[in-house]
Amino acid sequence: MIAVTTAEQQSGQMQARSGPPGLGSLLRPVRARLALAVALQTSGAVAGVVPFVAVAELGRVLLSADGGDSERAWLVAWVAVGALMARLVLLLVASAITHLADIDLALDIRRRLAAHLGRLPLGWFDETGSGRVRKAAGPDVAAIHHLVGHTFTDMATAVAVPLVSLGYLFWVDWRMALLTLVPLAAGLAAYARAMSGYPKIMRDYDESMARLSGASVEFAQGIAVVKTFGQVGRAHRRFAEAAEQFATDFRSWVGQISKATGVMELFLSPVAVLLWVLTAGTGLIVTGVMLAVDLLPFVLLGLGLSAPVLSLGYAATRLRAATEAARRINEVLTVEPLSRPASPQFVADTHVRVHDVRYSYDGGRSLAVDGVSFELPPGSVTALVGASGSGKSTLARLVARFDDVLDGSISIGGVDLRDLGEEQLYRLVTFVFQDVRLLRTSVRDNIALARPEATDAEVEAAARAAQVHEVVAALPRGYGSVVGEDALLSGGEAQRVSIARALLADTPVVVLDEATAFADPESEAAIQDALSNLVGGRTLLVVAHRLSTIAGADQILVLDDGKVVESGRHEELLRGQGAYHRSWHSYHA
């Protein structure tokens, strides 16, 4: 991991104030190669116009009043052949450069995303959801691919071909050249008007796609939980609402694109351009303004003007899509990472101190934790209780440094968490939360996540202690079975795998957001037995949703609106006739 220097932090703050950087910042590593490819593509496009000019000139030579100049005719023919060969070579080289640049850029972006995501606060992932991250690393990088691999060179062709063609046509007859521009000007004006609302429609479409992706993942991953608690209707409704919104935005996007494409095709289709050129040219010939032989260049090259302009319209659409994709990628890349100490300190003991901690999800306007202080002596059990939204889960996650405190400090062995190296911190603290997250890899690798070097015997011992060995042994490939493929675990079984992981990590401090909250009755007893093995001899901070599970805790902290309103042992709090007393008797009424 790379330490974040003060200069880097200041740079990140400046970016946060001015907004995320744009498409140019992502393209910087391949900018020189793109410029070279565009230059080659432009030269190739110009070379591609030469054969059409040659055919037009050949026609004018052969149809001239003196019967034509054979030497000039052969010269024109050989120039056309040479131009075709040059075009082939130039376009092949340009395409090779852009596609190699695209591969390098996609790899660079994904590496940067992976490295940056590894430095972000763990709490950011809970707030953001998986849909946004997946879209940034997948479809958004693919949108950049189209831009680098095709769009810039397509735009070079779309600009070079009309300019060179028009230069030649104006040299032949400037009046007819001006008339040839009429359908192009009308088509571009109509297209610009049709696309006036496109940026907002595109943003709405992208946002609804990200919401649908996130809702799909969450619905699929949480189906066991919502079915257990009879919330299938609510979960399905949330997914259905996301799908309906996506359908609405998709229809708007398709309608806008279809309208703009229809307008372009109406004005710039070869048939429409040919009809216009022949009509206008006939008028000039009949009136004696232009010779009939001079109409040939406009028939040949006039038709060729529309295709590049249509291509320019499509390229502009892809450019807008890539710009929006770059914005989303940069939004992820500019999220401020957790600070890293330049010189990590080392702890002398595992005494945890929480001192006057304040934390806010919205930058300080509303405090989720407000002035909380307590200590976790080594080997003790501390429980956090309170109503939903009181701040207990937030506080537990701060002890595991899912985010940094807004004010105050959390320390282990006298060392602030912000002065500990990440690897050292997670050798000291592990956590087991309600929302189990297992990787799509083998069960063995999931258990050995904190200690990849662990032996098979150690992994199995942790699984036995977590009451999950028999479940794993019955899988098709045992510990080699892959989660989500041939290891289809229930919520309670997945929770016991996460407890086995914590057991193998063997950290002195464990943060536990009550693991049995979503467990079925059959699994709850096994999870409780596994937790008994986990907490033995360790410092435990537990978020309690059921008061009966923490009656034996060394200290109980009662939270309300982010503040500690009561603290003590179970018996003391019952005698206090306060919030804990009322909750206990309400629970056992």
Side-chain angles (χ1 to χ4, degrees):
M1 296 293 180
I2 301 172
V4 177
T5 64
T6 302
E8 288 172 329
Q9 292 172 344
Q10 291 174 347
S11 174
Q13 292 168 357
M14 290 175 63
Q15 285 184 348
R17 288 194 295 270
S18 62
L23 181 61
S25 67
L26 286 184
L27 298 181
R28 190 174 294 116
V30 297
R31 191 176 296 169
R33 281 183 281 175
L34 284 178
L36 175 60
V38 167
L40 293 172
Q41 183 79 15
T42 302
S43 301
V46 172
V49 176
V50 171
F52 291 95
V53 174
V55 171
E57 286 300 306
L58 190 60
R60 297 176 74 196
V61 169
L62 297 178
L63 296 174
S64 62
D66 59 4
D69 183 343
S70 61
E71 289 186 5
R72 186 163 181 260
W74 278 109
L75 176 62
V76 170
W78 283 115
V79 168
V81 172
L84 283 174
M85 296 299 295
R87 175 182 180 274
L88 176 63
V89 172
L90 290 168
L91 296 190
L92 283 175
V93 173
S95 179
I97 290 174
T98 56
H99 281 83
L100 289 173
D102 166 58
I103 292 170
D104 291 342
L105 182 63
L107 179 61
D108 175 72
I109 292 174
R110 288 193 169 106
R111 280 177 171 170
R112 289 171 60 192
L113 282 170
H116 190 70
L117 290 170
R119 298 168 57 195
L120 295 185
L122 295 177
W124 179 84
F125 295 92
D126 289 337
E127 298 167 19
T128 302
S130 59
R132 180 178 172 189
V133 176
R134 187 196 67 82
K135 184 168 176 54
D140 287 340
V141 174
I144 304 295
H145 151 74
H146 289 291
L147 182 73
V148 174
H150 304 280
T151 304
F152 283 126
T153 50
D154 289 348
M155 292 177 75
T157 299
V159 171
V161 169
L163 288 179
V164 174
S165 299
L166 285 171
Y168 170 69
L169 294 178
F170 270 96
W171 177 74
V172 173
D173 191 295
W174 65 270
R175 292 156 297 195
M176 185 62 200
L178 286 176
L179 290 172
T180 304
L181 286 174
V182 171
L184 299 180
L188 289 174
Y191 176 80
R193 183 175 181 180
M195 292 293 286
S196 59
Y198 181 78
K200 181 181 183 302
I201 290 174
M202 188 67 188
R203 280 195 297 272
D204 292 343
Y205 167 73
D206 287 331
E207 289 171 3
S208 64
M209 179 184 286
R211 284 194 296 270
L212 178 61
S213 178
S216 301
V217 172
E218 290 163 11
F219 180 69
Q221 290 181 343
I223 190 64
V225 172
V226 298
K227 287 185 72 174
T228 299
F229 287 87
Q231 298 296 316
V232 175
R234 181 184 299 177
H236 181 268
R237 186 163 56 251
R238 182 173 179 274
F239 171 75
E241 289 171 356
E244 289 173 4
Q245 184 60 48
F246 173 77
T248 299
D249 292 334
F250 182 73
R251 280 192 294 269
S252 298
W253 178 71
V254 170
Q256 187 84 359
I257 293 295
S258 300
K259 181 171 66 173
T261 302
V263 166
M264 291 284 282
E265 293 288 351
L266 175 64
F267 285 95
L268 301 179
S269 66
V271 173
V273 174
L274 177 61
L275 180 61
W276 171 257
V277 168
L278 290 175
T279 302
T282 300
L284 293 180
I285 293 169
V286 170
T287 57
V289 175
M290 185 175 70
L291 296 175
V293 71
D294 289 338
L295 182 59
L296 181 60
F298 294 93
V299 172
L300 289 172
L301 276 78
L303 295 182
L305 293 177
S306 61
V309 174
L310 285 171
S311 176
L312 189 62
Y314 300 140
T317 300
R318 290 195 293 269
L319 179 60
R320 289 191 187 96
T323 301
E324 287 297 309
R327 177 184 62 80
R328 290 187 295 272
I329 292 171
N330 279 314
E331 281 179 352
V332 175
L333 290 174
T334 53
V335 174
E336 188 171 353
L338 286 176
S339 61
R340 304 290 176 85
S343 301
Q345 299 183 31
F346 295 91
V347 301
D349 57 60
T350 58
H351 195 115
V352 179
R353 292 179 175 83
V354 177
H355 176 67
D356 198 24
V357 163
R358 290 175 173 79
Y359 177 77
S360 171
Y361 289 101
D362 57 11
R365 291 186 294 275
S366 176
L367 292 175
V369 177
D370 186 5
V372 172
S373 298
F374 61 90
E375 297 188 11
L376 306 179
S380 65
V381 177
T382 298
L384 303 175
V385 302
S388 177
S390 61
K392 53 188 185 296
S393 292
T394 300
L395 188 56
R397 281 165 163 75
L398 290 175
V399 172
R401 207 190 175 197
F402 268 43
D403 211 332
D404 280 334
V405 300
L406 184 66
D407 196 13
S409 66
I410 300 176
S411 63
I412 299 178
V415 179
D416 194 296
L417 296 187
R418 291 165 288 196
D419 295 323
L420 288 173
E422 187 177 75
E423 292 184 5
Q424 184 187 12
L425 172 62
Y426 294 116
R427 283 197 298 266
L428 296 170
V429 181
T430 192
F431 41 84
V432 179
F433 293 146
Q434 298 171 14
D435 49 342
V436 183
R437 303 290 174 89
L438 298 182
L439 304 180
R440 197 176 184 87
T441 184
S442 69
V443 175
R444 185 207 181 281
D445 288 345
N446 269 283
I447 295 174
L449 190 61
R451 288 180 54 200
E453 77 286 354
T455 65
D456 290 344
E458 290 173 323
V459 170
E460 182 178 325
R464 288 183 182 277
Q467 310 294 313
V468 77
H469 170 71
E470 289 76 10
V471 172
V472 177
L475 295 173
R477 289 183 286 162
Y479 284 86
S481 301
V482 175
V483 172
E485 294 181 7
D486 52 352
L488 303 177
L489 305 174
S490 69
E493 291 165 349
Q495 187 63 274
R496 279 177 274 162
V497 170
S498 73
I499 294 172
R501 181 164 60 198
L503 280 163
L504 189 61
D506 195 25
T507 62
V509 180
V510 176
V511 178
L512 177 64
D513 193 348
E514 190 167 343
T516 61
F518 291 154
D520 55 82
E522 182 180 349
S523 295
E524 182 171 0
I527 293 175
Q528 290 289 8
D529 290 340
L531 290 174
S532 298
N533 292 324
L534 173 63
V535 303
R538 295 179 173 86
T539 304
L540 178 65
L541 177 65
V542 56
V543 176
H545 299 271
R546 284 178 267 191
L547 300 184
S548 58
T549 63
I550 47 88
D554 297 302
Q555 64 173 333
I556 299 172
L557 307 177
V558 183
L559 278 79
D560 183 35
D561 197 23
K563 299 181 178 68
V564 175
V565 294
E566 289 182 287
S567 63
R569 296 180 68 89
H570 173 70
E571 296 80 5
E572 298 170 1
L573 293 173
L574 285 181
R575 290 195 298 269
Q577 303 291 312
Y580 184 86
H581 176 273
R582 291 191 297 273
S583 296
W584 176 267
H585 286 286
S586 173
Y587 182 77
H588 290 86

